[in-house]
C-alpha cells in the first residue's frame, strides 16, 4: 500500500514556527511509516487468519452435515448450542429452532431423562454411554445409543457436553439384513455343495444300469430255475401222495431229475441271495453317497475307497481309462467313507478329463499308496498336458475351471480340498517331472 505524499514545505514552516529542525520531523515521519507498515502487515496476517478460520469452519460444517450419526453440543445446563443435519432430520426441526432449547425437550419419556442425568453425573474427564429415546418428527420414540463426552475450554474448565449417537433402528435393520444375507449365503453354500455332489452322482448314472444288471439278471435266472424246479417237485409230491407204485415213483423220479434238482437247490438259493445282497449293497452305496447330511466317521480302508472310485468312474464315463493301481496291505484312516469316495472320484475323473484332451495317447493314471509313521500318502499322476503355471495357485479356488463351458462347475477340487482339510489332511497339486499333473492326498492314519 502506497504512503500518502508528505507536504514538505508545510513541515519546514512548522519547524521554523516551533523551533524544531527538519531532522526531528523526519524521525517522526519515519516512525509513522514503520507503524503504518506494521499495521498493513498485521491486517494482511489477520485476513489470512480469517481465511483459514473460514476454511476450517467450512470443513467442520461439511463434516457435521455429512455425519449420519446425530450430534448435539450443549452447555453445562444442557442447553443446545450446536447440532448437525442428522439430528435436525430426526426430530423434524431446523437448526436455529433447536439452539438454546434444553436437551430434555427432545426426549421421548421421563425414563430417558433419568438415564441421561445418571450418565452426565458419572462422566469425569472421560465419557459414558447411555441409551435414550428421542421423539422423532412424527412424535414417535426412537431409541438412540449416545456417547456422552465432556467439553473443556482452553483453561481446562468444563463448559458443556458433546452427545454423539446413532439411532438403534438403523443398527437393528443393518444387523437384520446382515443376518439374512448370512443365512442366504449358508443356504447357497449348502446348495452348491449338494449340487456338486449330485453332479458327481450323475456321472455314475450311466454305469448304474450295467452295474445292477448283472446281479439282477443272475437273480432272475435263478428264480426262473427255481420256478421250474417247484413244478417238478409239485408233480413228484402229487404222485407220492396219490400212493403210486414204487416202480412208478422211481420212473417219475428219474424223469423229473429230482436228485439233480435237490443237489442244485442250495447253489441256486445261495446265488440268489448273493445277487440280491449285491443289489442291496449298490443301492445302499448310492444312497450313502448322495446323502446331504454329514456322515458319521469311522475307520475306513483307503484301498477300498480307491477301488470303488476307479470302478464308478469307469462304469460312468471312462470305460477305457487305463488305471495302474495295485491294492496293498490294509491302510486304515479315520473319516467318512462317502466323503472320501467323493474326493477320490473327483480326482480320478479330473485325471481322465485332463488325459483325454491329448489326442496322441490313450488316457492313463498311476496311483500309489504309501504309509509313513502316522501319515498316509496317496499319489495320483495322469498323462495329460499338466497344469499351466499361472493356474497352479488357483487350482483349488471355487468356480475356477479350465474345462469348456458346460463341462465343469469349478467346485469339485474346491470341495475336495475342504473335505480333506476337515479330515485333518492336505491336498496338493503340481506337475510331475515325467509329465502330466500329480495330486498328492495326505491323511492321518488310523491306529
Amino acid at each position: 500500500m502506497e504512503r500518502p505524499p508528505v507536504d514538505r514545505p508545510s513541515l519546514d514552516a512548522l519547524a521554523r514556527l516551533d523551533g524544531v529542525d527538519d531532522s526531528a520531523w523526519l524521525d517522526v515521519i519515519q516512525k509513522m511509516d514503520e507503524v503504518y507498515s506494521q499495521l498493513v502487515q498485521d491486517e494482511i496476517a489477520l485476513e489470512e487468519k480469517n481465511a483459514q478460520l473460514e476454511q476450517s469452519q467450512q470443513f467442520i460444517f461439511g463434516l457435521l452435515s455429512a455425519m449420519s450419526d446425530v450430534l448435539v453440543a450443549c452447555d453445562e445446563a444442557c442447553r443446545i448450542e450446536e447440532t448437525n443435519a442428522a439430528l435436525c432430520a430426526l426430530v423434524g426441526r431446523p437448526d436455529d429452532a433447536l439452539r438454546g432449547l434444553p436437551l430434555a425437550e427432545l426426549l421421548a419419556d421421563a425414563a430417558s431423562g433419568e438415564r441421561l442425568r445418571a450418565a452426565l453425573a458419572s462422566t469425569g474427564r472421560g465419557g459414558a454411554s447411555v441409551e435414550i429415546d428421542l421423539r422423532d418428527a412424527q412424535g414417535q420414540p426412537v431409541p438412540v445409543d449416545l456417547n456422552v463426552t465432556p467439553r473443556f475450554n482452553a483453561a481446562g474448565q468444563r463448559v458443556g457436553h458433546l452427545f454423539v449417537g446413532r439411532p438403534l433402528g438403523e443398527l437393528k435393520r443393518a444387523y437384520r439384513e446382515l443376518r439374512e444375507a448370512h443365512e442366504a449365503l449358508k443356504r447357497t453354500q449348502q446348495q452348491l455343495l449338494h449340487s456338486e455332489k449330485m453332479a458327481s452322482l450323475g456321472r455314475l448314472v450311466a454305469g448304474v444300469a450295467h452295474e445292477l444288471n448283472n446281479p439282477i439278471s443272475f437273480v432272475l435266472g435263478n428264480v426262473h430255475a427255481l420256478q421250474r424246479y417247484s413244478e417238478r417237485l409239485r408233480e413228484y409230491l402229487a404222485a407220492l401222495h396219490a400212493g403210486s407204485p414204487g416202480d412208478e415213483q422211481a420212473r417219475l423220479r428219474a424223469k423229473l431229475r429230482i436228485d439233480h434238482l435237490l443237489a442244485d437247490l442250495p447253489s441256486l438259493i445261495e446265488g440268489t441271495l448273493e445277487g440280491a445282497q449285491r443289489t442291496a449293497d449298490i443301492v445302499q452305496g448310492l444312497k450313502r453317497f448322495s446323502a446331504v447330511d454329514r456322515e458319521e466317521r469311522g475307520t475306513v480302508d483307503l484301498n477300498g475307497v480307491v477301488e470303488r472310485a476307479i470302478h464308478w468312474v469307469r462304469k460312468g464315463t471312462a470305460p477305457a481309462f487305463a488305471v495302474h493301481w495295485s491294492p496293498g496291505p490294509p491302510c486304515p484312516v479315520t473319516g467318512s467313507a462317502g466323503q472320501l469316495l467323493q474326493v477320490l472320484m473327483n480326482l480320478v475323473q479330473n485325471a481322465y478329463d485332463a488325459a483325454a484332451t491329448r489326442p496322441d495317447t490313450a488316457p492313463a493314471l498311476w496311483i500309489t499308496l504309501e504309509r509313513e509313521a502316522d501319515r498316509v500318502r496317496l499319489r495320483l499322476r495322469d498323462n495329460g498336458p499338466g497344469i499351466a503355471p499361472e493356474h497352479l495357485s488357483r487350482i483349488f479356488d471355487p468356480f475356477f475351471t479350465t474345462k469348456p463351458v458346460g463341462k465343469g462347475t469349478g467346485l469339485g477340487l474346491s470341495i475336495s480340498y475342504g473335505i480333506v482339510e476337515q479330515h485333518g489332511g492336505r491336498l496338493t497339486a503340481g506337475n510331475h517331472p515325467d509329465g502330466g499333473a500329480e495330486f498328492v492326498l495326505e491323511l492321518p492314519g488310523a491306529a
Side-chain angles (χ1 to χ4, degrees):
M1 183 177 294
E2 295 184 358
R3 183 168 54 85
V6 180
D7 189 0
R8 301 288 300 181
S10 4
L11 289 176
D12 292 341
L14 288 174
R16 287 194 299 271
L17 290 174
D18 295 337
V20 180
D21 58 7
D22 291 345
S23 60
W25 284 108
L26 289 174
D27 290 339
V28 172
I29 293 174
Q30 183 178 0
K31 292 298 183 182
M32 291 178 62
D33 286 343
E34 291 176 359
V35 172
Y36 186 76
S37 297
Q38 185 64 40
L39 288 174
V40 171
Q41 292 176 3
D42 292 343
E43 183 179 0
I44 294 174
L46 181 61
E47 290 177 354
E48 292 177 352
K49 295 292 184 182
N50 287 335
Q52 293 175 0
L53 180 60
E54 184 178 356
Q55 185 178 2
S56 299
Q57 288 177 338
Q58 290 295 332
F59 177 72
I60 294 174
F61 179 76
L63 290 179
L64 295 178
S65 300
M67 283 180 62
S68 59
D69 293 352
V70 298
L71 181 143
V72 185
C74 296
D75 59 14
E76 273 290 274
C78 269
R79 288 187 298 268
I80 298 175
E81 293 181 341
E82 191 65 56
T83 63
N84 68 340
L87 179 68
C88 296
L90 177 64
V91 300
R93 302 187 192 182
D95 182 69
D96 54 357
L98 291 174
R99 289 181 183 174
L101 283 179
L103 181 60
E105 290 194 14
L106 302 182
L107 302 180
D109 49 43
S112 296
E114 291 294 333
R115 290 195 295 270
L116 182 60
R117 281 190 290 271
L120 290 173
S122 64
T123 55
R125 296 192 67 86
S129 295
V130 60
E131 183 178 333
I132 63 172
D133 291 339
L134 296 179
R135 188 179 293 105
D136 65 7
Q138 288 75 34
Q140 300 297 321
V142 177
V144 178
D145 186 20
L146 281 182
N147 287 324
V148 185
T149 307
R151 295 167 51 217
F152 299 93
N153 60 14
Q157 297 175 339
R158 192 165 68 175
V159 295
H161 295 87
L162 182 67
F163 303 89
V164 180
R166 173 168 295 183
L168 294 178
E170 296 181 7
L171 291 176
K172 291 179 180 178
R173 182 171 61 253
Y175 177 75
R176 183 177 64 252
E177 293 175 354
L178 180 62
R179 183 176 57 189
E180 291 174 354
H182 179 64
E183 292 298 328
L185 182 62
K186 289 199 300 184
R187 290 194 299 270
T188 303
Q189 183 184 25
Q190 291 296 328
Q191 291 171 357
L192 287 174
L193 290 174
H194 186 50
S195 297
E196 174 59 24
K197 204 168 191 180
M198 295 308 295
S200 300
L201 181 62
R203 291 194 290 264
L204 309 178
V205 173
V208 169
H210 176 73
E211 186 69 13
L212 290 175
N213 185 58
N214 289 336
I216 290 177
S217 298
F218 193 58
V219 169
L220 287 176
N222 288 350
V223 170
H224 284 304
L226 288 172
Q227 185 179 18
R228 293 194 303 271
Y229 286 173
S230 66
E231 294 173 356
R232 295 183 194 176
L233 285 174
R234 188 181 300 110
E235 182 180 352
Y236 181 67
L237 290 175
L240 290 180
H241 292 161
S244 300
D247 56 348
E248 180 64 21
Q249 293 179 11
R251 185 190 66 80
L252 188 59
R253 185 184 184 95
K255 175 184 175 183
L256 298 176
R257 302 180 64 188
I258 298 299
D259 294 335
H260 172 75
L261 179 154
L262 294 174
D264 197 29
L265 275 179
S267 62
L268 284 177
I269 295 174
E270 182 180 356
T272 303
L273 290 174
E274 181 181 354
Q277 184 61 47
R278 176 59 181 159
T279 302
D281 291 342
I282 294 172
V283 173
Q284 185 63 29
L286 291 173
K287 287 173 61 179
R288 183 175 63 251
F289 184 70
S290 62
V292 179
D293 298 331
R294 184 176 179 179
E295 300 178 14
E296 295 294 331
R297 296 189 179 185
T299 302
V300 181
D301 182 12
L302 204 55
N303 286 284
V305 177
V306 175
E307 285 283 347
R308 289 196 299 275
I310 297 172
H311 173 79
W312 284 115
V313 172
R314 277 177 167 170
K315 290 294 182 182
T317 58
F321 194 19
V323 180
H324 303 277
W325 154 256
S326 297
C331 190
V333 296
T334 302
S336 165
Q339 291 179 350
L340 292 177
L341 178 61
Q342 182 180 359
V343 172
L344 265 300
M345 282 192 59
N346 274 324
L347 295 179
V348 175
Q349 183 67 51
N350 284 343
Y352 173 77
D353 293 340
T357 60
R358 292 185 58 182
D360 57 334
T361 182
L365 176 66
W366 290 264
I367 303 178
T368 59
L369 178 60
E370 56 191 41
R371 181 166 186 171
E372 298 179 359
D374 59 345
R375 303 290 291 182
V376 174
R377 186 176 293 107
L378 186 70
R379 299 180 184 273
L380 299 93
R381 178 177 69 89
D382 59 55
N383 63 341
I387 305 172
E390 63 271 17
H391 295 159
L392 279 173
S393 61
R394 303 179 57 197
I395 196 71
F396 296 112
D397 289 351
F399 304 108
F400 176 78
T401 179
T402 58
K403 297 179 181 179
V405 176
K407 296 296 184 180
T409 63
L411 287 171
L413 287 178
S414 175
I415 293 175
S416 298
Y417 187 88
I419 292 175
V420 173
E421 275 197 333
Q422 292 173 6
H423 282 71
R426 186 175 64 167
L427 180 62
T428 58
N431 290 314
H432 195 272
D434 296 335
E438 182 181 50
F439 285 83
V440 180
L441 169 61
E442 293 186 11
L443 291 170

